[in-house]
Amino acid sequence: MDDSSDPRATRSRQAILSAARELLLDQGPAGVTHQRVAQQAGVGRATVYRHWPQAEQLLLDVMDLAGLPFFAEPRVPLRAWFRRRLRELADELAMPEVAAVALTLMQGAVWDEQIARQRDQFVRTLTERIAAGLALATRSGETGGETGGEGGSTTGSGTGSTPDPHDAAAMLVGPILYRTALQGGSVPDAFIDRLVDQVLP
Amino acid sequence: MDDSSDPRATRSRQAILSAARELLLDQGPAGVTHQRVAQQAGVGRATVYRHWPQAEQLLLDVMDLAGLPFFAEPRVPLRAWFRRRLRELADELAMPEVAAVALTLMQGAVWDEQIARQRDQFVRTLTERIAAGLALATRSGETGGETGGEGGSTTGSGTGSTPDPHDAAAMLVGPILYRTALQGGSVPDAFIDRLVDQVLP
């Protein structure tokens, strides 16, 4: 609480978070108990209880994906920016630890209101950042007319146009999630290019 | 085991499966215990144990999504067929029970090998069925050249072409999953049209 400026407390907080993250990866959410976290972190159980009276809250803090820099700070050219950001997301989600946290957040939200709020926050953040990227693409003239390189005929009506940020988020992140969490295996650059082409036609 | 032809055994099996499905929806996977299932189904605990000695196996059977008719039996015109099948999938996943089962399958597979096998089976089935749909689209001339209605110039090279079935599955199912399981809310027909346009350009 008040010990946020105490370097020792900060150190033990970090050690507890890392230990909880490792346990989540090894054993699933059920493995994140005060006792195991304390043992793994090399701190007393009372210390874990002091920082996180509830194991669920610790699990939530471990799952703080919203703190990750996905899709932050859009830059021109937007096509390259979207590619880089999707590459990062795909590489993150290909790591078992991150996939485990993402799936725990998704599944836990069905039955737990607090987890649902955290999921909603994360989803909202992603949409806002993608919206910022699309808005900059529009301002810098990167949407429409760039499809074939010449003869920019269809300047964005109907399905060939840039989707709204809500749809764009689902069309960019959904396939990456499906590939990493369900199909397994890596995400080739060509697949990422395809996804970007849908959003910036 | 040998009682599959006994109508009473079939009835109690069905009652147990329904009860387990309801408990999964209400309480999550942890709620699916022999005792609660027996109570909810109105059968003896011994009956539940006889059919499913392991609660995990019961949970797996409840989660038998591969038995669902997603993307079965492709028909021309394929564009309309893909639209109908995606509409069905979106409507199924919008039901809390189906979403809960799908997410439990996804998350459980991270830590449980048996669930991972079931997930892989489901993902493989989806890909095979989508492959059958795309193959029929190619045979019936529905791929490429249909984009704008006239002047079919770009007949499918690079990112404008029809993706392979593995990629197509991720591009069709991933956004639906993201929309229903993460963003919440309904899936409009216009969004489904967008997804189909990507796969049958």
Side-chain angles (χ1 to χ4, degrees):
Chain A
M1 304 287 147
D2 299 317
D3 55 7
S4 55
S5 55
D6 174 354
R8 253 184 42 197
T10 305
R11 265 203 307 279
S12 62
R13 231 186 109 86
Q14 287 309 322
I16 290 165
L17 279 171
S18 307
R21 213 170 275 130
E22 285 162 28
L23 285 167
L24 176 66
L25 175 57
D26 283 352
Q27 302 172 21
V32 183
T33 64
H34 284 96
Q35 188 166 358
R36 290 188 209 166
V37 169
Q39 201 172 7
Q40 179 98 356
V43 303
R45 223 159 64 155
T47 307
V48 182
Y49 272 103
R50 198 173 65 240
H51 288 289
W52 284 278
Q54 310 275 346
E56 288 73 24
Q57 190 54 51
L58 173 55
L59 198 57
L60 278 171
D61 288 345
V62 169
M63 299 193 297
D64 184 17
L65 289 172
L68 290 175
F70 294 138
F71 294 99
E73 298 168 27
R75 296 223 181 89
V76 289
L78 269 301
R79 189 170 297 272
W81 179 79
F82 269 112
R83 276 199 197 114
R84 277 201 308 276
R85 294 294 92 94
L86 280 174
R87 182 75 264 161
E88 275 171 14
L89 180 70
D91 292 343
E92 284 285 333
L93 281 172
M95 289 162 58
E97 181 190 310
V98 179
V101 167
L103 291 173
T104 298
L105 190 69
M106 287 171 72
Q107 201 243 8
V110 178
W111 295 283
D112 186 307
E113 223 171 278
Q114 212 178 352
I115 299 185
R117 274 199 298 275
Q118 191 153 356
R119 174 201 60 189
D120 293 344
Q121 170 67 46
F122 177 61
V123 168
R124 216 163 24 238
T125 302
L126 267 192
T127 306
E128 283 166 8
R129 289 176 179 174
I130 287 170
L134 291 175
L136 185 54
T138 304
R139 283 203 304 279
S140 64
E142 268 194 83
T143 48
E146 230 197 354
T147 333
E150 52 188 4
S153 51
T154 54
T155 325
S157 70
T159 52
S161 62
T162 297
D164 74 54
H166 194 62
D167 288 353
M171 290 165 68
L172 291 173
V173 183
I176 300 278
L177 197 61
Y178 190 87
R179 169 64 47 97
T180 51
L182 285 171
Q183 293 179 323
S186 63
V187 180
D189 283 338
F191 185 63
I192 288 177
D193 285 352
R194 255 189 197 283
L195 300 179
V196 174
D197 283 342
Q198 292 163 19
V199 166
L200 292 179
Chain B
M1 303 293 149
D2 300 316
D3 55 8
S4 56
S5 56
D6 174 354
R8 253 184 45 200
T10 306
R11 266 203 307 280
S12 63
R13 230 187 110 85
Q14 288 308 322
I16 290 165
L17 280 171
S18 308
R21 215 171 272 129
E22 285 162 28
L23 285 167
L24 176 66
L25 176 57
D26 283 352
Q27 303 172 20
V32 184
T33 64
H34 284 95
Q35 187 165 1
R36 289 188 210 167
V37 169
Q39 201 172 7
Q40 178 99 355
V43 302
R45 224 161 62 156
T47 307
V48 183
Y49 272 105
R50 201 174 59 241
H51 289 288
W52 283 277
Q54 309 274 347
E56 288 74 21
Q57 189 54 53
L58 173 54
L59 198 59
L60 278 172
D61 287 345
V62 169
M63 298 193 297
D64 184 17
L65 288 172
L68 289 176
F70 294 139
F71 294 100
E73 298 169 26
R75 297 222 181 89
V76 287
L78 269 302
R79 190 171 296 272
W81 179 79
F82 269 112
R83 274 197 198 114
R84 280 201 309 277
R85 295 294 93 93
L86 279 174
R87 182 74 265 159
E88 276 171 13
L89 180 71
D91 292 344
E92 284 285 332
L93 281 172
M95 289 162 57
E97 181 191 310
V98 179
V101 166
L103 291 172
T104 298
L105 190 68
M106 286 171 71
Q107 200 243 9
V110 178
W111 294 283
D112 185 307
E113 222 171 278
Q114 212 177 353
I115 299 184
R117 273 199 298 274
Q118 191 153 358
R119 174 200 61 190
D120 292 345
Q121 170 68 45
F122 178 61
V123 168
R124 214 163 25 233
T125 302
L126 268 192
T127 306
E128 284 166 7
R129 289 176 179 175
I130 287 170
L134 292 175
L136 184 56
T138 303
R139 282 203 303 277
S140 65
E142 269 196 83
T143 49
E146 226 195 356
T147 334
E150 52 188 4
S153 51
T154 54
T155 326
S157 72
T159 53
S161 62
T162 297
D164 73 56
H166 194 62
D167 288 353
M171 290 165 69
L172 291 172
V173 182
I176 301 278
L177 197 63
Y178 190 87
R179 170 62 49 92
T180 52
L182 285 170
Q183 293 179 323
S186 63
V187 181
D189 284 337
F191 185 63
I192 287 177
D193 286 352
R194 253 189 199 285
L195 301 180
V196 174
D197 284 343
Q198 291 163 19
V199 167
L200 291 180

